[in-house]
């Protein structure tokens, strides 16, 4: 049997002639670690992470490589940063050991735009869940994905999501659960960031809607799907 993460990858596999016994089983997220919390708990976590109570935090987590298009996030934020002095961008992850790392370029962009006080790189972190519970919006401008765990984790934590309009993400999310932006479109992303900052209640509602998706990606649900497939194969 062949296991794929999404319908998009299944279509690609079939086009490649791998049409026999393909099963779609998504990535899973541990809902005992990733879950939404109340505002009072959020402020407590912020205090431990040295995040100011009155800051609106945009968050990205992932490898700092070209296809994640974090450069677009920085360029877009540069357009609106002076209008929103209490907004911050936190970027988790590194490009270390990656042949197509853009980490140095991203740091240079931040310095060039004079955004070092508003954009923070925190590198690899042990507990991304703490940050997901402490921030206000997850931004994922990637140009190509399978089924990104980073987005699943943000969904499980009830975060509003700004995502690039690619098949993997439009299949996972909808206009009720996310804001979509065109891949590589700096102006589109800048306008969307500004809209979310101006309409935080609406954004929170989208995040709440997204949590309803989490259960179907629970690690226990995914594990059961694998076990069911294994047993079917053993009987065949």
């Amino acid at each position: 049997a062949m296991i794929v993460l999404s319908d998009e990858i299944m279509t690609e596999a079939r086009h490649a002639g791998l049409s026999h016994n393909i099963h779609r089983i998504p990535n899973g997220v541990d809902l005992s670690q990733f879950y939404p919390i109340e505002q009072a708990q959020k402020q407590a976590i912020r205090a431990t992470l040295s995040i100011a109570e009155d800051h609106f935090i945009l968050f990205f987590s992932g490898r700092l490589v070209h296809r994640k298009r974090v450069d677009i996030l920085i360029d877009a934020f540069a357009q609106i940063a002076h209008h929103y002095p209490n907004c911050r961008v936190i970027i988790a992850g590194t490009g270390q050991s990656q042949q197509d790392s853009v980490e140095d370029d991203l740091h240079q962009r931040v310095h060039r735009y004079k955004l070092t006080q508003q954009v923070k790189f925190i590198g690899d972190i042990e507990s991304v869940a703490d940050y997901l519970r402490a921030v206000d919006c997850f931004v994922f401008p990637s140009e190509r994905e399978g089924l990104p765990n980073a987005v699943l984790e943000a969904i499980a934590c009830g975060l509003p999501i700004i995502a690039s309009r690619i098949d993997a993400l439009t299949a996972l999310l909808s206009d009720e659960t996310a804001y979509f932006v065109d891949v590589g479109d700096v102006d589109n992303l800048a306008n969307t960031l500004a809209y979310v900052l101006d309409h935080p209640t609406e954004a929170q509602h989208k995040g709440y809607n997204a949590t309803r998706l989490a259960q179907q990606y629970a690690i226990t649900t995914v594990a059961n799907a694998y076990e069911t497939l294994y047993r079917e194969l053993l009987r065949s």
Side-chain angles (χ1 to χ4, degrees), residues 19-74:
S19 58
H20 177 69
N21 207 12
I22 302 178
H23 298 261
R24 180 186 178 276
I25 302 179
N27 288 333
V29 59
D30 186 350
L31 299 185
S32 69
Q33 292 189 50
F34 298 92
Y35 52 85
I37 59 174
E38 300 296 328
Q39 186 66 22
Q41 295 172 292
K42 177 177 178 177
Q43 293 303 335
I45 293 176
R46 281 191 168 211
T48 66
L49 298 176
S50 300
I51 297 175
E53 184 175 335
D54 63 338
H55 284 170
F56 190 100
I57 307 296
L58 303 168
F59 186 68
F60 168 88
S61 64
R63 292 180 297 123
L64 301 186
V65 296
H66 176 74
R67 72 178 176 88
K68 299 295 185 179
R69 301 315 309 267
V70 183
D71 58 318
I72 299 300
L73 170 57
I74 294 172

Side-chain angles (χ1 to χ4, degrees), residues 17 35 41 78 163 184 203 212 215 220:
Y35 52 85
Q41 295 172 292
R212 301 174 187 176
Q215 192 58 48
T220 51

Side-chain angles (χ1 to χ4, degrees), residues 9-24:
I9 300 175
M10 181 176 288
T11 299
E12 291 178 0
R14 286 173 172 163
H15 285 165
L18 304 172
S19 58
H20 177 69
N21 207 12
I22 302 178
H23 298 261
R24 180 186 178 276

Side-chain angles (χ1 to χ4, degrees), residues 130-141:
D130 284 342
Y131 277 91
L132 289 172
R133 284 191 281 269
V135 303
D136 299 291
C137 181
F138 189 79
V139 187
F140 201 74

